[in-house]
Amino acid sequence: MSGNVVASLSGGQGGAGTAETDLITYRFLAGRGRDRMSRAELVTLDSAMSRTRTVDPRTAIVRRGEYINVSTYLISGYICRYMDDREGHRQLVALHVPGDFVDLHAFPMKRLDHDVASLGPVEIGTYEHETLARIGTDSPHLTRMLWYSTLLDAAMHREWIFRLGRLGAVGRVAHFFCEIDARLAMVGLSEDHRFTLPLTQADLAEATGLTGVHVNRTLRRLREDGLMSFRHGAVEIADPVRLARLAEFDPDYLYGDPPAAQER
Amino acid sequence: MSGNVVASLSGGQGGAGTAETDLITYRFLAGRGRDRMSRAELVTLDSAMSRTRTVDPRTAIVRRGEYINVSTYLISGYICRYMDDREGHRQLVALHVPGDFVDLHAFPMKRLDHDVASLGPVEIGTYEHETLARIGTDSPHLTRMLWYSTLLDAAMHREWIFRLGRLGAVGRVAHFFCEIDARLAMVGLSEDHRFTLPLTQADLAEATGLTGVHVNRTLRRLREDGLMSFRHGAVEIADPVRLARLAEFDPDYLYGDPPAAQER
DNA sequence: CGGCTTGTTGACCTAATTCAACCACGGTGG
DNA sequence: CCACCGTGGTTGAATTAGGTCAACAAGCCG
């Protein structure tokens, strides 16, 4: 149960090199006050992972109501969380990028109030709650960092509430992409405001509380205005500044490290 | 002030002799798996509170961005959390009822991404983060319960996202009141689906992502359909079952104890 | 009494949904 | 190789939910 298959990505741990990329969890809280974590804590976290596995695209990972005793760390790929209404209309409530804990809240809660599924192909690592409980006893500070990471999710939830409650269609779509761009940039996956995201326009509609049709029109608008484009999962933000203004996007709520002020 | 004035209301639940109402924090996690907490832990929590104070209606308690080293427990009254957009339009992101920690997330986060303010007159207790850190070291399980309480907030955030993303005006307003009713019932403050809430229609609009005018029309509709009424802060849910159906409200996400299944 | 805030209602306007048709593309199987 | 099909994307026309603007009523308080 060392799960370090993936770690072979770049050698074993413990070594002196201290290139942090030698850890599976090297993206955890990257760019968001992870400096508050010691190297020892990162290593603890890394070795506490029980195993890794890959998941096919569009596959359920945790189902609503299910009682679980493991939590999932997202190594690569994208995962979403969602709730369906009575008629089967879906609302995304979160989208996760590499480095995120996807359902760490299941540790204190024991069951989830929503579904979790992969978007594209995904690689995940799992943590036994038993192990997390041990960390709770042995490493109060590391525990607080885990807690913190669930609170980042809550902060993003709040921003999604704001997005849905106060923005029109263009603003919502723009805000969505601004957030993802900023988050991917923190973990080194958005280069120059370009990245790929295995979403359809219909998915985007489920995230923004709009109709597929209207998302389509909205994207055209953004494209024609030279702000950004989204085609077959490829995102290109041409004018980050104007897009952010349109979205009323202020990355404060992502609690990024100050240097990330380039995002402004 | 000991706050025990309020305790004389006598919650109703709880076991035999052990009138838990002797603690200021006696409403903490009431009806939501608090049984997972020992009496000793409750006492610890209670005595860890550094001081209590009252706050006038409509008064700021924490301001966005502010770095703080205390967290707030709501003893009596109502508190809301909100974010304003560029033009000053406000979106409520949470509403707190007695027994809630209002900004416990500030403990791991150190600063808030939103504002916190009282609605009506309020009585709060404060916890030094220093003290909470000590609890983190001494009482891993109690810490997990505190973590849990912040995750309940996150679960409610998700439901608010759903509400805004997938429901129309009537559904949103209905859902809002269903949630508050259920939560108040858990802490013994909603009797027979009646309670008071110091909100104006404009506030309600800020919570549901609607216009004041439209909230007014929506309330009229709900009233005329014999579902519920809201006048001058007095809420009366006449037909909880039909209202919940209309709201697509399923209290699962509130993680109430099974016996509270009467809510269905 | 006047002056505030909150609630109420009507007339009009706009953003977004709905319904529907159609296109582009990447399989897959004959 | 092409015909076929399914998915995802694109566009138009009609409809509707909700927003905006504006006036007025009901309290409440100094």
Side-chain angles (χ1 to χ4, degrees):
Chain A
M1 58 149 93
S2 83
N4 285 346
V5 191
V6 183
S8 64
L9 286 175
S10 80
Q13 50 210 35
T18 317
E20 293 201 328
T21 54
D22 61 341
L23 300 175
I24 291 188
T25 51
Y26 79 99
R27 287 197 166 107
F28 180 64
L29 293 184
R32 319 166 96 155
R34 190 182 55 191
D35 50 302
R36 278 150 62 188
M37 277 175 72
S38 69
R39 165 80 186 173
E41 284 175 328
L42 256 185
V43 170
T44 301
L45 192 60
D46 205 71
S47 54
M49 188 183 292
S50 64
R51 66 204 163 76
T52 65
R53 69 185 171 103
T54 59
V55 180
D56 285 338
R58 308 273 160 176
T59 305
I61 292 173
V62 185
R63 236 174 283 271
R64 169 182 184 145
E66 203 180 330
Y67 282 77
I68 54 184
N69 50 21
V70 295
S71 282
T72 308
Y73 172 81
L74 180 51
I75 300 168
S76 71
Y78 298 92
I79 284 179
C80 69
R81 304 200 257 149
Y82 59 88
M83 298 188 305
D84 293 331
D85 73 3
R86 215 194 313 289
E87 292 85 39
H89 296 120
R90 180 161 298 179
Q91 177 65 46
L92 295 206
V93 295
L95 187 145
H96 288 287
V97 305
D100 286 356
F101 265 98
V102 169
D103 55 1
L104 186 52
H105 51 303
F107 169 46
M109 293 203 141
K110 295 307 167 210
R111 71 185 157 92
L112 298 191
D113 49 285
H114 56 269
D115 295 274
V116 178
S118 60
L119 286 166
V122 147
E123 194 175 7
I124 59 178
T126 55
Y127 285 84
E128 307 287 334
H129 288 173
E130 207 179 309
T131 310
L132 294 174
R134 193 154 356 103
I135 289 177
T137 308
D138 300 345
S139 319
H141 182 262
L142 177 53
T143 302
R144 206 149 60 220
M145 289 292 99
L146 292 174
W147 184 355
Y148 175 72
S149 89
T150 64
L151 295 176
L152 283 175
D153 285 342
M156 291 187 260
H157 287 339
R158 286 190 286 274
E159 197 74 12
W160 284 42
I161 292 174
F162 171 78
R163 178 196 295 161
L164 291 168
R166 291 293 157 228
L167 301 182
V170 241
R172 288 191 208 174
V173 173
H175 190 287
F176 176 83
F177 284 110
C178 285
E179 174 181 305
I180 303 300
D181 180 41
R183 290 167 63 191
L184 287 176
M186 289 195 242
V187 293
L189 292 172
S190 169
E191 195 69 38
D192 204 26
H193 307 288
R194 281 159 206 272
F195 52 94
T196 57
L197 201 58
L199 287 181
T200 66
Q201 291 186 356
D203 295 329
L204 199 47
E206 291 172 350
T208 52
L210 299 168
T211 309
V213 175
H214 203 60
V215 162
N216 181 292
R217 296 193 231 268
T218 306
L219 285 173
R220 171 154 55 100
R221 173 81 163 288
L222 290 169
R223 199 182 324 123
E224 289 173 354
D225 289 357
L227 293 166
M228 62 159 293
S229 75
F230 175 67
R231 295 198 107 105
H232 318 294
V235 180
E236 248 186 82
I237 301 183
D239 193 333
V241 176
R242 273 206 304 147
L243 191 71
R245 181 155 43 235
L246 199 70
E248 307 212 18
F249 178 74
D250 175 347
D252 244 28
Y253 72 99
L254 295 173
Y255 290 79
D257 293 331
Q262 47 146 227
E263 281 312 320
R264 301 309 296 268
Chain B
M1 80 193 45
S2 78
N4 287 349
V5 189
V6 185
S8 61
L9 287 173
S10 122
Q13 40 216 23
T18 316
E20 297 199 321
T21 54
D22 58 342
L23 300 175
I24 291 188
T25 52
Y26 79 100
R27 286 196 166 109
F28 180 62
L29 293 183
R32 320 167 95 158
R34 189 181 59 187
D35 50 302
R36 280 151 60 188
M37 279 176 71
S38 69
R39 167 80 187 175
E41 285 175 329
L42 256 184
V43 170
T44 301
L45 192 60
D46 204 71
S47 54
M49 188 183 292
S50 63
R51 67 206 161 77
T52 65
R53 68 186 171 103
T54 58
V55 179
D56 286 337
R58 308 273 160 174
T59 305
I61 293 172
V62 185
R63 236 173 284 269
R64 169 181 186 147
E66 204 180 331
Y67 282 77
I68 53 183
N69 50 20
V70 295
S71 283
T72 310
Y73 172 83
L74 179 51
I75 300 169
S76 72
Y78 298 91
I79 284 179
C80 69
R81 304 198 259 148
Y82 59 88
M83 299 187 305
D84 292 333
D85 74 3
R86 216 193 315 287
E87 291 85 40
H89 296 123
R90 180 162 298 181
Q91 176 65 47
L92 295 206
V93 295
L95 187 145
H96 288 287
V97 305
D100 287 355
F101 266 99
V102 169
D103 55 2
L104 186 52
H105 50 304
F107 169 45
M109 294 204 139
K110 295 306 167 211
R111 70 185 157 94
L112 297 191
D113 48 287
H114 56 270
D115 296 272
V116 177
S118 59
L119 287 166
V122 146
E123 192 178 10
I124 60 179
T126 56
Y127 285 85
E128 308 286 335
H129 289 173
E130 208 179 309
T131 311
L132 295 175
R134 194 158 350 106
I135 289 179
T137 308
D138 301 345
S139 320
H141 182 262
L142 177 53
T143 302
R144 205 149 60 220
M145 289 292 100
L146 292 174
W147 184 355
Y148 175 73
S149 90
T150 63
L151 295 176
L152 283 175
D153 285 341
M156 291 185 260
H157 286 340
R158 285 188 287 275
E159 198 73 13
W160 284 42
I161 292 174
F162 171 78
R163 177 196 295 161
L164 291 169
R166 291 292 157 229
L167 301 182
V170 240
R172 288 189 206 174
V173 173
H175 190 286
F176 176 83
F177 284 111
C178 284
E179 175 181 306
I180 304 301
D181 179 40
R183 290 168 62 191
L184 287 176
M186 289 195 245
V187 293
L189 292 172
S190 169
E191 196 69 39
D192 204 26
H193 306 288
R194 282 158 206 272
F195 52 92
T196 57
L197 200 58
L199 288 181
T200 66
Q201 291 185 357
D203 295 329
L204 199 46
E206 292 172 350
T208 52
L210 299 169
T211 308
V213 175
H214 204 61
V215 162
N216 182 290
R217 298 193 230 269
T218 306
L219 285 172
R220 172 154 52 102
R221 172 83 162 288
L222 289 169
R223 199 183 325 123
E224 288 173 355
D225 288 359
L227 292 167
M228 63 158 291
S229 74
F230 175 67
R231 296 197 108 104
H232 316 294
V235 180
E236 246 187 83
I237 300 182
D239 193 334
V241 176
R242 274 206 304 146
L243 192 70
R245 183 157 39 235
L246 198 70
E248 306 212 19
F249 178 73
D250 175 347
D252 243 30
Y253 73 97
L254 295 173
Y255 290 79
D257 294 331
Q262 48 146 223
E263 280 312 319
R264 302 308 296 270

